[in-house]
Amino acid sequence: MQPFVEPDYLPALPELFLAGASVTLLMAGVFIGDRSTRLMTWLACVAMAAAFVMVLVLPDERTTTFFGLFVTDRFAAFMKCLVLVGAAVTLIVGLGYVKREGMNRFEFPVLIVFATLGMLLMISANDLIALYVGLELQSLSLYIVAAFRRDSLRSTEAGLKYFVLGAISSGLLLYGCSMVYGFTGVTGFEGIAEALATTVPGNVAAETGVLIGLVFIAAALAFKVSAVPFHMWTPDVYEGAPTPVTAFFAAAPKVAAMALLLRVFLGPFHELAGQWDQIIIFVSIASMGLGAFAAIGQKNIKRLMAYSSIGHVGYALVGLSAGTPEGIRGVLVYMLIYMVMTLGGFACILAMRQRGQMVEEISDLSGLSKTNPSLALALAIFMFSMAGIPPLAGFFGKLYVFLAAVDEGLYGLAIFGVLASVVGAYYYIRIVKVMYFDQPAEGFDRPVGVELSAVLAGTGIITLFFFAYPAPILAGAEAAAAALMP
Amino acid sequence: MLYYAAPIFLPLFGAVIAGLFGRVIGARGAQLVTCGAMGVAAVMAIVVFTEVVLQGETATIVLFDWFASGDLDVDWLLRFDELTGVMVFVVCVVSFLIHVYSIGYMAHDPHVPRFFAYLSLFTFFMLALVSADNFLQMFFGWEGVGLVSYLLIGFWYKRPSANAAAIKAFIVNRVGDFGFALGILAIFLMFDTVSFDAVFSGAPGMVDAEVTFLGHSFDFLEVACILLFVGAMGKSAQFLLHTWLPDAMEGPTPVSALIHAATMVTAGVFMVARLSPIFEYAPIALSVVTFFGATTAIFAATIAITQNDIKRVIAYSTCSQLGYMFFACGVSAYGAGIFHLTTHAFFKALLFLGAGAVIHAMSDEQDMRKMGGIWRMIPVTYVLMWIGNLALAGIFPFSGFFSKDIILESAFASHTGLGMYAFGLGILAAFLTAFYSWRLLFLTFHGKPRADERVMAHVHEAPPVMWVPLVGLAIGAVVIGYLMLPMVATDIDFWGTSILVLPIHNALEEAHHVDFWVKALPMAVGVLGIGGAFLFYVLKPELPGQLATRARPVYLFLLNKWYFDELYDILFVRSAKYLGRNLWRQGDGAVIDGIGPDGIAAATLSVARRAVRLQSGYVYHYAFAMLLGLAAIVTWYLIAGR
């Protein structure tokens, strides 16, 4: 029996802190009861802010700990920052909703913290086992929050659907992992990479086995980022889940899953880049296409946002298909901008209340420019940005990934992406048209709330003025991409 | 020499003041400014004429660099040689008289400043055209006069017919201008310059040069000259491109006199004379010029005998006289052509303005069938019209006699088939000219009054401001032919180097040695024509009606102007509209919109509907889709990956 060696805990400090914080919050909540929800939410935000600071102050260079299961580097730091911000902001924008709509239970912020912890672990996973554990911690929390409004049929349906399909995807993931383990004999990412470089080539059975394992893993990860054809859960869950939960789904887990996708494909399976990029290109084209076309027929704005997010994942994957540091930088910048726009967009949706009731139909936005000009302006900014109209941030997100694709000679992919974004522009701009040119409907309740207004202002300003000073974000993304693709 | 430029820029000054500050200075101010500037310009033009033409002090004035682009380097130069001197004199003097006349004629119009601004602006462009020293500058003036012509034909823009006529004039001129522009391009292509001097000196070396177009070789000079002549045809309303001129009579009468009789329409003749150093080396092009000139002369004359609108008769007469000028140039008698241009400018302006005075007297009636019997009431106008017609018909010693005679003699003396063609048609046209001129006189002034009493009661002589300029023009119509005879003299080198005639093209010289019958014939047929008109419209007024009934098809053919308008309507207007409508409905609407925007939109919608239908809501469908996708990808790798 080997002597137990104490691992280095410092690199995992944010995760350890968050784990401790979540348990503490849970205990506190149990003792104080449901009236503590607001306090718990703010405490959760504070905990995430603290974790954010820890991520920033920790050393940048690549460090592994827990016997190689856990890794931190600039890439992990960048993605963790995104996830923490996304999670905290969704908690804040959800405050009003949670209070009004019968979700006033202290478990909600605690579950969000658990999910966030899972995401951080995913991002730092350096082993198939660690990957699975992180993913499941996240997923289990998400299943619960999706069905958090137990009295709502649609919410429970969303949670159940997500759970069943998520279970299938977990099965796929585990099956893929076992295939890879079977043919390489290791679960650590470095080990897999080494095996793929040395022992596997030449061995037809091993090559095929690893490849099929990779396809299964890819399918599971595609499910998490809701890429076509593993996207089917997205519209139903987005529509059915309580709106703050949808906002959360659209922001943080997507970023985390994308981080995992990047790390898995560019780390252990880097040797197979020539193989997996075919999957990525296919999934990217399918996602962009479906995201563009299916959204046209939607009347519910949350459903529309679901298809929009499918499309955005497609665009981001264009950068991964390029497989260059520029491409990866493009993906990271895209995810950041996507998250900002999505948070802003959901903040607008959370402001859609008429006589105390939440409304979700696009037609409810009619003439918003007359009844609430500033909200209409904010939503218009996000919609134009998502459509990729310069000089808004969304344009630059698309620009970087398409440029990377063109540099790599992927003209077909880039052209398809541009065409899809033309189609997509239709439904984004239709919302602007409904707000600005249709006859005013009944206005929304006012005021929209301090938290919502602050988030709207912040995300709106970033979206609007990204072009003026993109340097820090670009530099961060570039360093992160360099950490992943040395 | 810089003061040579004065007559050219004074009208521009007047036009700018009257055009931009017309509201400030009012009608009276605009009249004073433009007429004053024009008056000074006319005096200066006489000075220029004296110095340049009579004393031979030709000059080229450099104004400024226009532009340089690659090989094309164009300066803005004013070329003052004998040809320019004559033209500046004619344009300025006639224009001044017409300016003065317009004070009276346009007195009751609400847009006097605009009218005078256009009139002066036109004069400037015309002078820019005749003083051009390179093709582009000429084109500038050429397009400028076309523009102002358009503006002035449509001066009464509230009349639909005036707008239609203005558009027609513009479009028909575009056809000619297109030829002109192509000609300039051809010149630049071969000579690498558009400067007159360089091109003229290089022309002899280009005699056998060829251009290849669509696989065929063409003689370069012939092609270039014919293209340039197409431009002249448009501007000078020659056969096939003549249809706009009669319609242009929709403009105010002074405009008809200045632009559509005396000056602008003669720009084509001027151009051929100016480019004589090129045309001389292009015998086929000269034949083309002769043919079209002669054809126009007779063609327009035949139409003129049947028209009833007093201005249209004179318009067709103008067309016909321009034909004379062209075939004079065609037989290398450029001097004779310009000579006729000069005399014509005076007597035709006189006729138009006289007609204007008649119209003025008849309360804006233009139909000669509703006139008659007014000669005692407006004696001054009557006498002036007589003078104009005598000059037009070529009766000694009026100016037209000299110029028309020499043209016909030159055509005869050229001893070519086309020359004889031109001579024969020219003589016939001369007869018709006299006939329709006196038909006009008799119908307008003699016989029983056919206007109603109210109009007759109003008939009055024009005010002095109108008839005094007419007297000036009448004096010109009487004496200018004799005074300007040196233009066609063989013993005086009137034109200097401004016109080139090769020694083999000595028609003008030969013209002085033709038989007496050739010299006498034009005037004889003129007198015959007058006699014919006297017979038809005074002695036996029933004859025209009988003849029209007897030879009805011929009469209708002529009355309807050889059906050119109808023909062009079918050939170009309707077919263009038909083509346009089809391209719009079928081409743009059905094909481009149908497949393009509309089709793509419809396809997008249908794809969107299907994509939405994929989302059934059943978990097992979703799971199935996931597994299907997984299986597809695995299959792809197992089959294609091998």
Side-chain angles (χ1 to χ4, degrees):
Chain A
M1 187 178 163
Q2 284 184 328
F4 179 74
V5 182
E6 187 109 346
D8 185 5
Y9 294 112
L10 187 65
L13 184 62
E15 286 80 2
L16 292 172
F17 170 76
L18 219 48
S22 56
V23 175
T24 314
L25 283 175
L26 184 60
M27 296 306 290
V30 168
F31 285 111
I32 302 174
D34 283 345
R35 63 196 156 87
S36 68
T37 307
R38 195 174 174 84
L39 176 68
M40 290 294 132
T41 307
W42 282 114
L43 284 178
C45 288
V46 170
M48 289 183 200
F52 184 87
V53 173
M54 289 172 199
V55 169
L56 285 184
V57 296
L58 279 179
D60 285 332
E61 62 271 17
R62 182 181 163 88
T63 327
T64 56
T65 180
F66 292 109
F67 317 106
L69 291 175
F70 186 94
V71 64
T72 62
D73 51 13
R74 281 172 188 268
F75 172 75
F78 186 89
M79 288 316 235
K80 284 177 185 173
C81 288
L82 283 192
V83 165
L84 287 167
V85 170
V89 171
T90 45
L91 272 180
I92 292 171
V93 294
L95 269 173
Y97 184 97
V98 166
K99 188 174 169 197
R100 280 191 310 272
E101 302 290 324
M103 268 173 57
N104 206 359
R105 287 179 230 289
F106 71 91
E107 289 95 341
F108 180 67
V110 176
L111 281 168
I112 296 287
V113 177
F114 275 127
T116 309
L117 175 62
M119 293 177 221
L120 298 192
L121 289 174
M122 281 158 64
I123 292 170
S124 275
N126 197 32
D127 187 286
L128 292 175
I129 304 290
L131 181 159
Y132 182 72
V133 170
L135 199 60
E136 283 306 295
L137 175 56
Q138 179 222 228
S139 298
L140 284 171
S141 312
L142 294 184
Y143 301 147
I144 302 169
V145 291
F148 204 78
R149 283 180 67 183
R150 285 175 302 175
D151 49 346
S152 158
L153 198 61
R154 298 227 314 234
S155 177
T156 44
E157 179 192 335
L160 190 64
K161 274 183 180 168
Y162 192 30
F163 173 67
V164 171
L165 296 172
I168 294 177
S169 94
S170 291
L172 297 178
L173 181 67
L174 278 180
Y175 187 72
C177 291
S178 60
M179 293 280 277
V180 171
Y181 174 65
F183 285 100
T184 59
V186 284
T187 56
F189 286 177
E190 285 99 349
I192 295 172
E194 195 187 332
L196 288 178
T198 54
T199 58
V200 171
N203 181 342
V204 175
E207 276 179 356
T208 312
V210 169
L211 194 58
I212 290 176
L214 173 64
V215 171
F216 275 79
I217 294 173
L221 294 177
F223 176 87
K224 294 297 174 196
V225 295
S226 66
V228 179
F230 309 101
H231 68 286
M232 302 292 274
W233 60 277
T234 320
D236 290 10
V237 173
Y238 273 41
E239 188 186 351
T243 311
V245 175
T246 311
F248 182 66
F249 277 18
K254 204 145 249 179
V255 173
M258 185 60 84
L260 190 56
L261 194 77
L262 293 177
R263 188 177 292 288
V264 169
F265 280 146
L266 296 170
F269 296 104
H270 187 249
E271 282 297 316
L272 297 181
Q275 311 283 348
W276 57 250
D277 72 350
Q278 299 175 40
I279 309 180
I280 297 298
I281 290 174
F282 163 72
V283 163
S284 166
I285 287 180
S287 301
M288 289 189 290
L290 188 95
F293 283 100
I296 290 177
Q298 302 308 325
K299 298 188 177 67
N300 182 297
I301 192 157
K302 279 161 76 182
R303 233 178 144 76
L304 183 127
M305 291 297 281
Y307 284 107
S308 161
S309 82
I310 292 171
H312 283 301
V313 165
Y315 295 116
L317 290 178
V318 170
L320 179 57
S321 333
T324 56
E326 288 72 35
I328 305 308
R329 187 192 70 169
V331 177
L332 299 183
V333 174
Y334 199 100
M335 290 317 288
L336 186 151
I337 292 171
Y338 161 77
M339 202 181 81
V340 171
M341 296 185 305
T342 304
L343 290 173
F346 274 101
C348 292
I349 295 171
L350 282 164
M352 290 170 65
R353 273 188 305 129
Q354 284 174 352
R355 294 186 221 141
Q357 294 288 312
M358 294 301 296
V359 289
E360 306 182 339
E361 297 300 308
I362 290 171
S363 56
D364 294 323
L365 290 164
S366 295
L368 187 62
S369 64
K370 305 279 191 314
T371 56
N372 193 343
S374 46
L375 186 62
L377 177 67
L379 191 50
I381 289 172
F382 298 128
M383 288 300 137
F384 275 125
S385 176
M386 288 193 188
I389 310 286
L392 300 172
F395 165 74
F396 291 95
K398 287 197 174 71
L399 180 71
Y400 294 130
V401 292
F402 288 149
L403 271 184
V406 168
D407 281 345
E408 282 303 295
L410 296 168
Y411 300 113
L413 185 62
I415 290 172
F416 186 88
V418 171
L419 291 180
S421 74
V422 171
V423 177
Y426 166 75
Y427 63 79
Y428 292 125
I429 294 174
R430 191 183 61 163
I431 294 180
V432 177
K433 175 246 170 195
V434 167
M435 290 192 299
Y436 278 84
F437 300 109
D438 283 5
Q439 283 302 315
E442 190 182 342
F444 294 142
D445 294 354
R446 302 179 82 156
V448 295
V450 182
E451 304 93 355
L452 274 185
S453 304
V455 169
L456 277 175
T459 51
I461 286 169
I462 295 173
T463 309
L464 199 54
F465 294 108
F466 172 80
F467 74 93
Y469 191 51
I473 291 170
L474 290 183
E478 191 150 2
L484 209 54
M485 288 194 79
Chain B
M1 298 293 177
L2 209 57
Y3 59 89
Y4 283 5
I8 292 171
F9 289 100
L10 276 169
L12 179 64
F13 168 76
V16 169
I17 298 291
L20 297 185
F21 307 105
R23 285 170 201 275
V24 183
I25 58 178
R28 181 57 61 189
Q31 288 164 349
L32 281 176
V33 169
T34 52
C35 294
M38 212 50 243
V40 178
V43 173
M44 293 302 294
I46 293 170
V47 173
V48 168
F49 179 79
T50 316
E51 295 196 1
V52 172
V53 181
L54 302 184
Q55 298 165 16
E57 293 175 14
T58 59
T60 301
I61 300 171
V62 184
L63 293 181
F64 52 87
D65 281 355
W66 191 2
F67 63 84
S69 167
D71 290 344
L72 188 59
D73 190 349
V74 185
D75 290 339
W76 199 280
L77 302 175
L78 297 180
R79 179 189 182 97
F80 281 96
D81 58 8
E82 290 81 355
L83 193 54
T84 305
V86 170
M87 291 302 290
V88 168
F89 167 74
V90 172
V91 171
C92 283
V93 172
V94 174
S95 177
F96 169 64
L97 293 173
I98 292 175
H99 267 76
V100 175
Y101 175 91
S102 302
I103 295 176
Y105 192 86
M106 300 300 285
H108 304 299
D109 196 280
H111 301 292
V112 170
R114 182 161 65 93
F115 182 81
F116 278 88
Y118 286 168
L119 219 51
S120 281
L121 186 65
F122 164 79
T123 312
F124 163 71
F125 278 125
M126 189 68 204
L127 291 166
L129 194 167
V130 300
S131 64
D133 190 55
N134 58 55
F135 282 93
L136 279 190
Q137 220 176 313
M138 194 182 210
F139 196 64
F140 164 79
W142 191 270
E143 293 296 299
V145 293
L147 167 71
V148 186
S149 162
Y150 164 80
L151 291 173
L152 280 170
I153 295 169
F155 181 77
W156 287 315
Y157 55 84
K158 286 178 183 162
R159 279 195 211 162
S161 59
N163 282 323
I167 292 169
K168 186 174 181 180
F170 204 79
I171 291 173
V172 176
N173 268 294
R174 295 317 305 161
V175 178
D177 293 351
F178 187 59
F180 190 16
L182 285 180
I184 295 174
L185 292 177
I187 293 285
F188 180 69
L189 183 72
M190 296 302 278
F191 291 94
D192 275 337
T193 176
V194 290
S195 161
F196 282 154
D197 286 331
V199 172
F200 293 168
S201 58
M206 287 288 177
V207 168
D208 290 322
E210 296 202 321
V211 286
T212 307
F213 181 67
L214 296 179
H216 293 275
S217 275
F218 297 98
D219 188 299
F220 160 67
L221 279 178
E222 303 284 11
V223 170
C225 286
I226 289 172
L227 287 172
L228 292 167
F229 177 62
V230 170
M233 281 171 69
K235 195 61 81 195
S236 294
Q238 291 299 286
F239 185 62
L240 299 184
L241 292 181
H242 64 278
T243 53
W244 66 273
L245 184 58
D247 287 20
M249 298 305 132
E250 285 289 339
T253 305
V255 172
S256 309
L258 178 62
I259 300 182
H260 305 117
T263 54
M264 184 189 83
V265 289
T266 62
V269 181
F270 166 78
M271 186 237 265
V272 175
R274 167 61 85 209
L275 302 181
S276 59
I278 316 177
F279 273 85
E280 276 300 285
Y281 296 99
I284 299 175
L286 281 178
S287 308
V288 171
V289 174
T290 312
F291 174 77
F292 274 98
T295 308
T296 310
I298 185 71
F299 155 78
T302 57
I303 296 175
I305 57 172
T306 58
Q307 297 303 305
N308 294 316
D309 183 313
I310 185 168
K311 282 178 75 182
R312 277 179 185 257
V313 173
I314 308 177
Y316 277 105
S317 158
T318 304
C319 208
S320 168
Q321 298 304 309
L322 289 166
Y324 278 96
M325 300 174 208
F326 271 111
F327 76 69
C329 294
V331 298
S332 293
Y334 304 101
I338 298 295
F339 184 31
H340 196 53
L341 186 160
T342 309
T343 59
H344 176 261
F346 284 90
F347 66 68
K348 190 51 69 66
L350 172 63
L351 279 173
F352 259 120
L353 297 184
V358 170
I359 294 165
H360 197 73
M362 298 298 292
S363 311
D364 292 334
E365 180 56 70
Q366 301 198 12
D367 192 332
M368 293 191 295
R369 288 171 299 187
K370 295 183 182 161
M371 296 180 183
I374 54 170
W375 69 274
R376 283 178 209 281
M377 303 158 116
I378 46 172
V380 178
T381 309
Y382 177 61
V383 171
L384 292 169
M385 288 293 274
W386 259 91
I387 294 172
N389 275 333
L390 284 168
L392 172 61
I395 305 299
F396 184 83
F398 295 90
S399 60
F401 165 77
F402 299 98
S403 55
K404 191 181 284 185
D405 247 24
I406 193 72
I407 285 177
L408 288 167
E409 287 159 18
S410 302
F412 183 81
S414 72
H415 302 302
T416 58
L418 268 173
M420 291 313 291
Y421 171 79
F423 176 72
L425 293 185
I427 292 292
L428 198 55
F431 167 76
L432 293 174
T433 304
F435 182 84
Y436 65 65
S437 298
W438 265 266
R439 172 175 176 267
L440 182 150
L441 267 183
F442 293 141
L443 280 178
T444 307
F445 293 100
H446 295 271
K448 280 185 193 139
R450 293 180 295 275
D452 60 39
E453 287 172 14
R454 207 162 45 78
V455 172
M456 289 307 287
H458 259 98
V459 173
H460 56 286
E461 190 62 83
V465 73
M466 282 169 71
W467 64 256
V468 169
L470 289 190
V471 171
L473 288 171
I475 293 170
V478 176
V479 302
I480 210 97
Y482 183 72
L483 289 180
M484 295 288 181
L485 212 46
M487 280 192 190
V488 288
T490 45
D491 46 350
I492 307 169
D493 185 14
F494 184 86
W495 297 108
T497 56
S498 63
I499 287 177
L500 175 79
V501 180
L502 294 183
I504 51 162
H505 294 156
N506 55 354
L508 192 54
E509 205 165 313
E510 295 266 313
H512 294 280
H513 310 295
V514 293
D515 293 340
F516 177 74
W517 68 269
V518 177
K519 288 175 184 280
L521 197 56
M523 182 160 158
V525 295
V527 172
L528 209 60
I530 297 171
F534 188 65
L535 175 73
F536 265 59
Y537 295 97
V538 179
L539 294 182
K540 297 195 169 184
E542 70 279 5
L543 259 183
Q546 289 173 359
L547 194 63
T549 326
R550 189 89 40 92
R552 189 159 181 78
V554 178
Y555 174 71
L556 284 179
F557 182 66
L558 297 179
L559 185 68
N560 288 304
K561 303 156 260 180
W562 291 31
Y563 292 105
F564 261 101
D565 280 333
E566 288 76 6
L567 184 70
Y568 284 179
D569 189 51
I570 293 168
L571 273 184
F572 302 118
V573 180
R574 282 191 209 183
S575 54
K577 277 186 180 170
Y578 176 79
L579 185 70
R581 203 164 29 240
N582 274 314
L583 285 177
W584 164 43
R585 293 237 171 92
Q586 261 83 46
D588 189 54
V591 178
I592 296 180
D593 275 356
I595 296 175
D598 292 353
I600 290 176
T604 304
L605 214 57
S606 111
V607 170
R609 284 208 192 93
R610 276 171 223 194
V612 170
R613 221 175 294 152
L614 280 180
Q615 206 72 28
S616 61
Y618 295 115
V619 175
Y620 57 89
H621 280 174
Y622 297 178
F624 181 67
M626 283 170 66
L627 295 178
L628 204 65
L630 185 74
I633 295 173
V634 170
T635 312
W636 161 260
Y637 277 114
L638 290 182
I639 293 174
R642 290 293 107 192

